[in-house]
Every structure is written in structure tokens, then in C-alpha cells.
Amino acid sequence: MLRQEYNRPDPKRRNVIDHRKKQFADPTYKETEYPHRLNFYMTPPTADITIEQFEQWAIDRLRILAELEACSFRNKSQAETAAHMEPLLKKYLLLQPNSTSSSNRFDERQKDHYSHFILRLAFASTEDLRRRFSRVETMLFRLRLEEEGLKEKNKFIGDLDLDFEHVSEDERNKYRDGLAAVAGSRKPNEDEEQTWIKVDWLRVPDLVESRRVFLRAGKAYVPSKEQSTLIIAEFTKRLDNALTLTANALPRLDEDNRLTPILNHLSKNFVTPDASYIGSSTAVSGADFSARNIDNLASHFPLCMQNLHRTLKRDAHLKHFGRLQYTLFLKGIGLNLEECLIFWRSSFHKITDDAFNKDYRYNVRHAYGDVGGDSNRRGGGYSPFSCQKILMEHPPGPGEAHGCPYRHFSLENLTALLQGVGITDRSVLNGVKEDKESQKFHMACNRVFEYVHKNEIKKAKEESVMTSAQLETIVHPNEYFKRSYLLKNLGKANSEDIKMEGS
């Protein structure tokens, strides 16, 4: 007779173990402490929070990340971004330094910690989402790092497990003159908070090139004020690795079915604030948004949509992504479903009614949310594409007209298109060429907008009809149209028409 071992779990019974006990053997992980305002987010949180906190914390952080991405699209400087983000950070993601005696400091840092990992789960599924998440999280970390005091920053760096060699006091005395030259003072250690680290010079080529480090025997001596470059690079590297690990683990995660819809909703709504356009919120009152008037309105379209309109008029046809991009744009300016169907049917005049109804009608209705699944109908269909989406997704192939001409066209074809829509000024064309070569596609589009509307912009500023915020860099085709229409109709539009998004 075989001896039965009662300590061994029955293989036919599921051995249910608390996942936190299985994943984290050290119980200290359950009671996370936050000694610093800054965080590398290396330790996942394990304490319990409510579903409401889970969702609201993630949404608040998403607001911040989306606004940071919008700042980068508008080519704001670091100082301008910091000034723009300050009130938003105070409202949605406040983090107070250790010098304050606030009783909410732990709660603020816990929210920051949890919200990062929630969004990491939501945005690890695709390469595009991981890249965007890493970029904006790095922007947020840089913003906080530059605001941090030198003393607190040094403590944070000292507690990180980084492969940086700290320069000893003896070595600092040995190279006193060289360090003083880099530090910009006669005594490199006159500030007691000044610290130096030593790394291979190949890790900081930009600092070497600009002579902001001291070099000796293949090592670069980096002062405190220049260590941010290394810390930010290390943050991005670790986050990218963590996102890859998260993406690999996602298929094996047994998520709570209450969380999955929230995570899916967050990932689908990771857009800039300028990207959430629906017809009712962006239509200009008093304008004639009908199929017969699209030709007249086309003069207010951005170049990407003008190209689609011209191609449609010429060929009486657009391929799938061109139809989708243009349909959603027309939806965003205020064209209703009935008029949109009339527009597409009249534009596709080379085919029969049966062919149009069979091959194209359903797609237009689906984009408007008239058909499809419950979620599509409840959500009103798809949102118009933002500039970022047009730039990053579905590059056009042969015979396709969608995409961004400033990015996807050759310089010769781009110049021909600009001249075809009336942009012949040599300085503007040269400026667009420089923007394209430096991959500043948003700036090229705004350069053309400012040239076409230069008189109206001057008048709006002189008469204080529009604020500077309402005239800042455009990052959405539908915003381009609305601003163009309002500027060209300044004498006809009333004050309510002038009130635009972001005002």
C-alpha cells in the first residue's frame, strides 16, 4: 500500500494562493513608503484600493499625460510647458516636496504611484501605445526633476541603484582646478550640496561635446547640475524594459473582469485634448453644412483634407483610409449623416446606386455610429482623426490620398500641392521645406495657416476678438477648419461663435 502524504496538495484540486503572497515574498512591499517626491516606479503597488480610486486616479493622470503630449505637438519650450502644466498638476496630480508639512503628502504620492502602474497596464498592449506612454511619462519625470531642489534631488539619486561611481573627497581635491572650470567657480566644492559622479564618457557624448563635464582617463566627471541627463535616460530605459515585460505578461494575466473594461477605455482614449471632436461641439453656428456646400467650405480645410477633396473631385473615388479620414473630418465640422451620405453618393458618380449601397453606404453609417455594435452606437461612432493619429498611423501606399502631405509627400509633390491651393510665396515654401526636413510637420501646417490668415489674425489680435490661447499652435484638422472659418468671417460671427475650445 502506498503511503499518502497529507501535506501534498491534491493535484485535482486547485491550490488557491493569494496572488500577492505568491508574487511578493517580502511583506514590506505591501506597506510602500515614499521617502522622495520623485519615483522610478520600480516596485509595483499591492495595497487595496477601491474601483472608484482605480478609475479616477488613472483618469487624472491621463489628463496630465495628454496635455503634455499636446504641449510637445505645439512645440512649446520646457519653460512654457512647465508654466502651462503647473495649474493642471496642482489640480490633478499634486506632489508636494519633503520640505512641506502637509498631512496629504503620503496620499498624493500613493496616487501618483498607483496611477502610473494602472496606465502602464492599459498602454502596454501595442508598440505605439508603449512608445507614446514612455515619451510622455519621461516628459513628466523631467518636469518634476527640474523643479526638485538640489538637496532632495541628490538624496533621490543617492538612493537609486545606479551604476554611477560617486567621486570621493580625495579625488575632488586632486582634480580641484579641472572641476572648478566645469563648475564655473574657483572652488568646485564651495556649495556643500554639490556632488560629482564618474561615468564612461560614451554615456554622455552631448555633455562632452558642449564641454560641461571634466574628462580624465576615459571617464566623465558630471556635476549635480548636469546629472539630470543621465537620470532621465536611465528612467526611460527602465520604463521601456518594464513596459516590454508587462506586454509579455498581459496574455497570462487573469484580470478582474471589473478592471478590463476600464483599462480598455483608458487605452482607447489616450488622445490629446484637441482630438476629442464630435460634430455638435465643433460646428460653427450659422454655417451651411450641407453636401452642396462642401466645395465652398473646402477653402477652410487643412492641406490634408484639401488633398482628399481634390483627389475625390478628380477621380470620383477614394480608397478606404482616405474615405474614413475624410468622413470623420466632415462629421467633425458638423455635417450630419444624411448630408454625408448625399455627399459621398454624388461624389462617387461613376458607380450605380446599387454598387454604392452595397460597398460604401454601411461604412459611412458605421463611422457615425448609426450601425454596428452597442458600444459603437452609444459612443456615436468614431472620433475625427487628430494630427498625431494621421501622422503615426496607416501611412499611405500607392494610389492612396490619406495621411499628412507635410510628412508623406515628397518635397516636389508637396510644393506642387501648395502651389495648387494658392500658396506661392517663396519664403513660405522655403519655411515649409525647412520644417519638413526637421520633421516639424505641425509647424509647417501652422506656417501655411498663418500665411493664409495673416490679415485676419492681425485684426483679431488688434481688436482682442481672440486670445493668444485661442490662436496657439493647431494640432487637429477640425480645429484648423473652425479657426479658419471664424477668422474669415470675423465681421459676421457673433461672440458665441468666437468662443472656441480651450478658451
Side-chain angles (χ1 to χ4, degrees):
M1 179 181 293
L2 295 176
R3 180 180 178 184
Q4 184 174 358
E5 296 184 12
Y6 291 96
N7 292 331
R8 179 181 299 175
D10 186 345
K12 294 183 179 180
R13 294 185 60 190
R14 186 178 179 185
N15 188 21
V16 180
I17 302 176
D18 187 340
H19 69 279
R20 289 171 295 183
K21 295 179 181 178
K22 188 165 56 176
Q23 186 177 5
F24 302 107
D26 189 348
T28 58
Y29 283 121
K30 296 179 183 178
E31 297 295 337
T32 307
E33 296 181 355
Y34 304 102
H36 306 290
R37 177 172 174 263
L38 299 171
N39 198 333
F40 255 39
Y41 309 107
M42 298 302 297
T43 304
T46 56
D48 294 331
I49 59 173
T50 65
I51 290 292
E52 290 74 18
Q53 287 176 319
F54 184 94
E55 183 173 17
Q56 190 58 52
W57 290 357
I59 291 173
D60 287 348
R61 191 181 193 91
L62 190 59
R63 292 176 187 270
I64 296 298
L65 298 186
E67 198 64 38
L68 279 170
E69 191 172 50
C71 287
S72 69
F73 290 155
R74 297 187 179 108
N75 280 49
K76 289 183 179 289
S77 67
Q78 186 68 18
E80 291 172 335
T81 299
H84 177 78
M85 294 302 301
E86 183 179 1
L88 295 172
L89 287 169
K90 287 182 178 179
K91 182 176 181 180
Y92 296 112
L93 208 60
L94 178 64
L95 280 183
Q96 300 185 70
N98 289 340
S99 56
T100 63
S101 57
S102 173
S103 59
N104 297 325
R105 197 166 60 193
F106 177 85
D107 294 336
E108 293 167 359
R109 296 178 183 184
Q110 184 185 46
K111 177 182 177 180
D112 174 70
H113 187 206
Y114 275 75
S115 61
H116 170 87
F117 276 92
I118 296 169
L119 294 190
R120 186 188 290 188
L121 273 178
F123 302 134
S125 56
T126 68
E127 178 63 32
D128 176 57
L129 286 175
R130 291 195 295 271
R131 181 174 61 252
R132 291 175 60 199
F133 181 67
S134 176
R135 182 175 68 247
V136 291
E137 278 286 344
T138 300
M139 291 176 63
L140 178 60
F141 181 79
R142 178 185 288 111
L143 206 61
R144 289 171 169 173
L145 185 65
E146 293 186 354
E147 293 175 350
E148 193 75 344
L150 184 60
K151 184 177 180 180
E152 291 297 325
K153 186 189 300 184
N154 289 338
K155 287 183 178 179
F156 172 72
I157 295 173
D159 288 347
L160 293 175
D161 185 18
L162 303 176
D163 56 343
F164 302 157
E165 183 180 349
H166 289 270
V167 179
S168 64
E169 189 67 29
D170 292 340
E171 199 168 6
R172 289 173 61 177
N173 292 331
K174 181 179 180 181
Y175 301 120
R176 180 185 300 273
D177 294 339
L179 298 179
V182 171
S185 65
R186 295 182 179 180
K187 297 181 180 180
N189 59 346
E190 67 181 6
D191 184 352
E192 295 180 356
E193 297 179 351
Q194 179 76 283
T195 61
W196 295 79
I197 59 175
K198 182 167 59 173
V199 297
D200 291 336
W201 72 272
L202 290 173
R203 297 181 61 175
V204 287
D206 53 333
L207 297 181
V208 173
E209 182 182 15
S210 55
R211 299 186 178 185
R212 288 181 285 168
V213 293
F214 174 69
L215 291 177
R216 177 66 63 182
K219 298 290 185 180
Y221 291 71
V222 186
S224 296
K225 63 181 181 180
E226 304 296 350
Q227 290 173 17
S228 296
T229 302
L230 281 169
I231 304 304
I232 293 169
E234 186 69 22
F235 175 85
T236 304
K237 176 184 174 182
R238 295 192 182 192
L239 179 56
D240 288 341
N241 292 338
L243 285 169
T244 302
L245 292 174
T246 304
N248 294 336
L250 280 178
R252 302 191 299 272
L253 290 179
D254 184 17
E255 292 291 354
D256 188 322
N257 56 13
R258 296 171 299 173
L259 303 185
T260 304
I262 298 175
L263 296 175
N264 291 337
H265 178 75
L266 290 169
S267 63
K268 290 178 181 178
N269 288 274
F270 187 23
V271 293
T272 63
D274 308 80
S276 301
Y277 280 80
I278 56 175
S280 61
S281 66
T282 55
V284 182
S285 60
D288 179 14
F289 292 111
S290 61
R292 66 177 182 274
N293 198 41
I294 295 299
D295 287 345
N296 297 327
L297 296 175
S299 61
H300 302 293
F301 291 179
L303 193 62
C304 54
M305 301 306 167
Q306 288 198 51
N307 178 56
L308 287 168
H309 187 75
R310 289 161 62 91
T311 304
L312 179 61
K313 297 285 288 185
R314 183 191 67 208
D315 301 337
H317 185 265
L318 284 176
K319 292 192 174 182
H320 172 72
F321 285 115
R323 296 196 306 272
L324 181 60
Q325 180 175 318
Y326 197 27
T327 296
L328 295 177
F329 171 77
L330 294 175
K331 173 187 174 184
I333 69 173
L335 194 68
N336 62 38
L337 174 58
E338 182 181 354
E339 289 293 332
C340 193
L341 286 169
I342 295 173
F343 169 76
W344 281 110
R345 179 64 195 98
S346 61
S347 298
F348 280 38
H349 55 79
K350 294 181 180 180
I351 63 175
T352 64
D353 287 343
D354 289 340
F356 178 81
N357 292 334
K358 178 182 177 181
D359 296 330
Y360 304 108
R361 186 182 182 88
Y362 182 88
N363 289 339
V364 177
R365 294 177 63 200
H366 192 272
Y368 273 76
D370 189 52
V371 294
D374 290 341
S375 61
N376 187 58
R377 292 196 297 271
R378 286 197 302 269
Y382 304 146
S383 296
F385 291 170
S386 65
C387 292
Q388 188 271 341
K389 189 176 183 68
I390 294 173
L391 286 167
M392 301 298 295
E393 298 183 11
H394 307 298
E400 295 182 312
H402 66 280
C404 173
Y406 299 105
R407 176 175 184 176
H408 298 122
F409 276 30
S410 66
L411 182 60
E412 294 75 15
N413 290 341
L414 176 59
T415 302
L417 177 60
L418 286 169
Q419 292 174 339
V421 298
I423 309 298
T424 57
D425 186 273
R426 184 56 52 188
S427 63
V428 175
L429 294 175
N430 289 335
V432 169
K433 176 184 176 182
E434 294 174 0
D435 292 334
K436 178 176 174 59
E437 290 174 346
S438 58
Q439 298 186 356
K440 295 179 179 179
F441 309 115
H442 292 90
M443 300 305 293
C445 186
N446 280 270
R447 184 187 299 276
V448 171
F449 180 89
E450 290 170 2
Y451 170 74
V452 173
H453 303 85
K454 56 185 177 183
N455 294 330
E456 291 80 8
I457 292 175
K458 181 180 179 181
K459 180 180 178 181
K461 289 181 177 179
E462 290 176 348
E463 298 179 1
S464 300
V465 177
M466 293 184 179
T467 65
S468 58
Q470 293 171 337
L471 294 171
E472 65 182 0
T473 306
I474 298 170
V475 295
H476 198 291
N478 288 83
E479 181 63 28
Y480 186 109
F481 169 81
K482 183 170 185 177
R483 195 176 299 180
S484 173
Y485 187 89
L486 291 176
L487 285 170
K488 289 295 185 181
N489 293 274
L490 278 178
K492 305 174 185 178
N494 55 39
S495 59
E496 291 184 358
D497 295 332
I498 299 298
K499 188 176 181 180
M500 301 162 63
E501 270 68 75
S503 60

